[in-house]
Structures are given as structure tokens and as C-alpha cells.
Amino acid sequence: MNTAQEQLPIGQSGRLNGRTAVVTGSTSGIGLGIARALAMLGADVVLNGLGNRAEIEATRDELAQSAGTRITYHGANLLDAREAAALVTDTIAAFGKVDILVNNAGVQFVSPIESFPDDKWRTIQELNLSASFFTIRPAFAAMKEAGWGRIINLASVHGLIASPFKSAYVAAKHGLIGLTKTVALEGAQYGVTCNAVCPGYVWTPLVEGQIADTAKARGISREEVIETVLLAAQPSKRFVTVEELGALVAFLCTEGARSITGTAIPVDGGWTGQ
Ligand code: NAD
């Protein structure tokens, strides 16, 4: 259990050289920001997600060039439990190990309860919650055996509190925090930590699109949409950035964070402090 890494002085342990990381849903948005942060600190990274193959290859190539580490892509559709597990087992086959697993892929659907569609409910549970279990299971076994591991689950402020019309998302994200705590307890004596990161509104291309649409629909300015609609509950009145999330996840992967486990860390400009 006492690996060389564990004995590194904290001040010298901020790099992730030699670590192998899997980041789900990393072809865009937050996942890509996290993959970039890990790679820039020296980690080899397996990207995953859906999308146009040529664009994904361009992203993979650009990241490999910038970071100078090994960056690969795995096209697992995480709605299939076997593919989710294969993402991890194929990584272990290719790299010899998996040190870091970031469960980031997720989708949202907003609707009142009475009209919430069955298929949307199921997809949100399967992707935002169950897929994390199916990647964690093989990764956890390998990490426990190696005596070192970092599992980070992208939950949300909606894993801690609710908003109306987001029943499936809120339920799945609360569940993900419960899973995080259980994994943390089972891994605590084996050098394996597990934490949840809980962002408020994050600046992603998806959000940028919503601003223009909402401004048009309500006949208000871009600034009014940001302050009074999107960031109504976020006291900082600014979006969280993918770089900020990348920096936190990278820190959780270092030796300095080895006693941080079982937590759900809000990154929300004060939202859940109210
Ligand atoms: P995004 O839509 O930009 O990215 C989602 C990623 O998941 C993409 O790479 C997509 O290809 C991938 N994906 C979707 N379905 C998949 C499937 N079946 N199999 C494999 N990959 C799949 O979303 P984002 O805004 O970057 O969100 C990332 C995570 O952060 C999600 O879990 C989301 O709930 C959470 N989150 C986002 C915000 C926000 O404001 N954007 C706030 C809190 C939490």
C-alpha cells in the first residue's frame, strides 16, 4: 500500500507524469477542459464521447501536440453498460493501468413532472448515474490492487439542492453523490479516493447558445439573460469556467489531495451557500 508516490513530498507532487486518466464525455465542454488540465500536468489521457469523428480526431491531435503526452480516443456509448466497462478494461489493456477516472458525461432534460417523458427519465439515470457505476467497477478493482487511484464524479449543485422541472437530473446527481461516498469508504484503506465536483452554471458552448435563444424569446438583452435568468441563483453573477473545474480535478488527482475523499465540492459562485 505504501507506494513511492505516497512517499513523495507534497510540494513536489503536483505533476501527474506517468498517470493514465480516463475522462468520459471529454469531446467537448467540461470534460475536454478536465482532460486538458490533466494532460498539461503530464498525464496520458483517454478521451471519450460522441460526435463527429474528424472533429474528435482534430481535438485529440491538438491536445497531444500541446501536452506532449499520449492522448487516445475510445468511442464507448455509455448508455450500454458493457461499453462503459470496456472503456476502462480497454484502457488497462492499452496502458497497463488506469490511475484516474473522471465520470463527466451527462445530459439534462427540463420538464414538469406530469409530462416528464419515460425515455428521458431513463436516459438521464443511465448516463448520469448508472454509467458511472459501470466504469467505476472495473477501475476500482484495478486501483485497489495497485494501491493508488483517483475517481472524480461530475455531479452538480443539483446533486446538493433541487430546482423545479429537473426531477430526473436532480435525482441522478443526488444518487451520484451517494455512489461517491460509498466508493470513498470502500477505497479509503487502499489509496483510492473518490470525490464529487458540483458546478453551478458553467460557461460551455451549450450555454452560449441558450443565451442568444433566451434573449430573443424574452426580448431582453444578453446581459439581462445572464444576470436575471441564467445566473439568478449564482451570487457571483459570473459563470464557472472549464479551466477552473480542470484545475480542481487536477488538484484532486495529486498527492496533496490524498486525504480528501467522500466529498461533494461545490464550485458554484456561492449558490449553495445561500
Ligand atoms: P456537454 O454536452 O458539453 O458534454 C457532454 C459530453 O458527454 C460530450 O462529450 C458528449 O459527447 C458526451 N456524451 C453524451 N452522451 C454520451 C454517451 N451516451 N456516451 C458517451 N458520451 C456521451 O456537457 P457539459 O456542460 O460539459 O457537462 C458535463 C458534465 O457536467 C455533465 O455531467 C453535466 O451534468 C455536468 N454539469 C454541467 C453544468 C453546466 O453548466 N454546463 C453544470 C453542472 C454540472
Side-chain angles (χ1 to χ4, degrees):
M1 197 156 80
N2 264 336
T3 63
Q5 270 293 336
E6 275 185 302
Q7 289 153 14
L8 268 179
I10 301 298
Q12 294 171 29
S13 61
R15 299 279 311 169
L16 300 174
N17 298 69
R19 297 293 185 203
T20 298
V22 173
V23 185
T24 73
S26 48
T27 51
S28 79
I30 297 169
L32 181 56
I34 291 169
R36 187 175 300 282
L38 300 179
M40 295 312 279
L41 284 173
D44 293 328
V45 178
V46 178
L47 300 173
N48 158 258
L50 311 177
N52 177 290
R53 286 303 284 260
E55 284 174 19
I56 292 171
E57 176 50 26
T59 302
R60 190 207 62 73
D61 187 56
E62 183 275 319
L63 188 52
Q65 299 289 336
S66 319
T69 62
R70 187 172 164 198
I71 310 291
T72 63
Y73 167 72
H74 193 295
N77 183 336
L78 301 173
L79 290 171
D80 181 322
R82 282 165 304 184
E83 290 191 35
L87 169 61
V88 171
T89 54
D90 290 350
T91 299
I92 295 170
F95 290 81
K97 61 188 184 139
V98 59
D99 302 300
I100 296 165
L101 169 65
V102 182
N103 286 305
N104 165 79
V107 282
Q108 169 67 288
F109 189 78
V110 180
S111 163
I113 288 170
E114 314 86 276
S115 52
F116 210 99
D118 293 13
D119 61 328
K120 296 289 184 195
W121 172 273
R122 291 199 180 94
T123 300
I124 289 176
Q125 304 315 315
E126 282 166 21
L127 185 62
N128 296 18
L129 176 57
S130 300
S132 298
F133 176 74
F134 292 122
T135 54
I136 285 172
R137 192 162 53 185
F140 185 74
M143 290 172 180
K144 203 172 149 182
E145 202 181 323
W148 198 95
R150 295 287 188 266
I151 298 171
I152 291 136
N153 298 321
L154 259 290
S156 163
V157 292
H158 288 112
L160 300 165
I161 55 168
S163 292
F165 313 125
K166 296 183 176 174
S167 53
Y169 188 84
V170 168
K173 295 296 190 183
H174 274 70
L176 186 58
I177 291 178
L179 175 63
T180 300
K181 292 176 185 172
T182 308
V183 175
L185 294 183
E186 292 191 30
Q189 291 183 37
Y190 300 93
V192 181
T193 70
C194 184
N195 293 285
V197 170
C198 303
Y201 267 109
V202 184
W203 185 261
T204 63
L206 207 88
V207 172
E208 175 64 49
Q210 279 179 41
I211 296 173
D213 291 349
T214 310
K216 202 172 162 195
R218 297 195 182 209
I220 56 177
S221 73
R222 180 189 158 78
E223 288 65 35
E224 283 172 308
V225 172
I226 292 173
E227 280 202 33
T228 61
V229 183
L230 291 180
L231 298 183
Q234 200 151 296
S236 60
K237 299 297 175 203
R238 55 174 287 280
F239 289 96
V240 177
T241 67
V242 301
E243 289 78 13
E244 289 162 9
L245 293 169
L248 173 61
V249 170
F251 171 67
L252 290 172
C253 294
T254 64
E255 292 312 297
R258 68 184 166 203
S259 301
I260 302 174
T261 194
T263 70
I265 305 174
V267 186
D268 63 2
W271 184 336
T272 51
Q274 293 172 101

